[in-house]
Amino acid sequence: MNELQTTPEPLHRRTLLRSLGLLAVGAAWGPAVPAAAATAADGVAPSRLAPREPITARKALRRLAEGNCRFVRGEMIHPRQDVERRLEVATGQQPFAQVFSCIDSRLPPEIVFDQGLGDLFVIRTGAQTLDELVQGSVEFGPLEYGTPLTVVMGHQGCGAVEAAVESLEHGTDLGPYLNRIVAALKPAYDAAKASGVPEHELVEATTREQTVLTVRALEADPRLQPLISAGRLLIQGAYYSLDTGKVAWQ
């Protein structure tokens, strides 16, 4: 893996949002700092957050893996979760990784990886399904902050996948909005079926295929490709076990 360092300084927010055509929805993220604190020179307020040391994707991945090991052993240290940290990140953030995972209540990334405030960007959808709006959210960390690692994490016993497989196997109608999730998961379902797995393994196989396909889709993103080619961004698949708490890297 290429270990070129990421750019430590974030891009200017307004310049980036203009280039993405997202100024109209910029308020959804909110200002990085209180408007009253902005400087006249460039409109960006000073932050009490010390600049993040440049970190490679491999180091970011190791940091997540170490945190997950603590979680599995029941030896969590709950880092960077005190009042001082809360105040520190109130005026800025420098997440070293982002996690794109399912909405399932049993796998909150900050807990699973034993991280703290300001450490992770987190995007969550049913069975980590991807559309244009979600893709824009995934782009945000790498493009705005130089976040070097994006983890796409599926998990054991995914209810969204179970419902989608049931619908696709038996023609069950889940309603107009849940049917969109079913449609989004059909390529993963088709790939799992084509692999010839036994019927009782179809849900887990579909979950794993969904992770693979999502990673590929993000790797093909034209805005992210230059960062990937330069070794400044890694898109990494993962699978979380509800039984053990362990994250396996795909």
Side-chain angles (χ1 to χ4, degrees):
M1 183 186 303
N2 193 317
E3 287 207 21
L4 291 176
Q5 292 180 334
T6 61
T7 304
E9 294 297 329
L11 300 175
H12 191 285
R13 181 181 301 276
R14 182 162 294 275
T15 299
L16 176 73
L17 294 182
R18 183 180 295 112
S19 71
L20 294 179
L22 293 176
L23 279 176
V25 296
W29 282 299
V33 295
T39 63
D42 59 7
V44 178
S47 172
R48 72 179 69 193
L49 188 65
R52 185 189 71 199
E53 293 185 6
I55 183 172
T56 64
R58 180 171 295 178
K59 289 179 180 178
L61 191 62
R62 185 180 308 124
R63 186 167 165 180
L64 290 183
E66 290 171 350
N68 180 242
C69 285
R70 294 193 299 269
F71 174 71
V72 171
R73 296 194 305 263
E75 299 174 355
M76 299 169 69
I77 60 175
H78 307 287
R80 297 169 296 282
Q81 296 182 18
D82 55 13
V83 173
E84 182 179 359
R85 176 64 170 177
R86 186 185 73 210
L87 295 173
E88 183 181 41
V89 297
T91 56
Q93 59 176 330
Q94 299 170 338
F96 70 90
Q98 67 179 3
V99 180
F100 178 24
S101 66
C102 182
I103 64 171
D104 195 293
S105 65
R106 298 166 291 181
L107 54 142
E110 293 89 346
I111 295 177
V112 166
F113 292 110
D114 194 23
Q115 300 301 320
L117 294 172
D119 287 338
L120 303 177
F121 283 119
V122 175
I123 305 102
R124 303 183 71 174
T125 65
Q128 63 275 1
T129 47
L130 188 65
D131 62 16
E132 292 180 356
L133 179 61
V134 176
Q135 190 134 350
S137 296
V138 174
E139 287 181 347
F140 185 71
L143 292 176
E144 170 91 0
Y145 289 93
T147 308
L149 174 66
T150 294
V151 174
V152 179
M153 187 168 69
H155 70 96
Q156 175 190 8
C158 180
V161 174
E162 289 175 354
V165 169
E166 170 70 17
S167 176
L168 292 166
E169 288 278 284
H170 305 290
T172 309
D173 185 354
L174 302 181
Y177 299 112
L178 288 178
N179 280 342
R180 293 183 183 180
I181 296 179
V182 174
L185 291 173
K186 189 175 186 303
Y189 164 83
D190 289 340
K193 288 281 282 189
S195 71
V197 297
E199 184 176 351
H200 69 277
E201 297 179 7
L202 186 55
V203 169
E204 297 307 312
T206 300
T207 299
R208 293 180 183 275
E209 291 290 349
Q210 172 64 6
T211 299
V212 171
L213 293 176
T214 303
V215 168
R216 290 177 183 171
L218 293 176
E219 289 177 335
D221 184 316
R223 293 185 182 276
L224 299 181
Q225 277 185 335
L227 297 176
I228 295 170
S229 297
R232 295 168 56 196
L233 174 64
L234 172 68
I235 313 291
Q236 175 68 53
Y239 182 85
Y240 176 76
S241 169
L242 296 176
D243 294 329
T244 66
K246 184 176 181 180
V247 174
W249 307 104
Q250 292 188 200

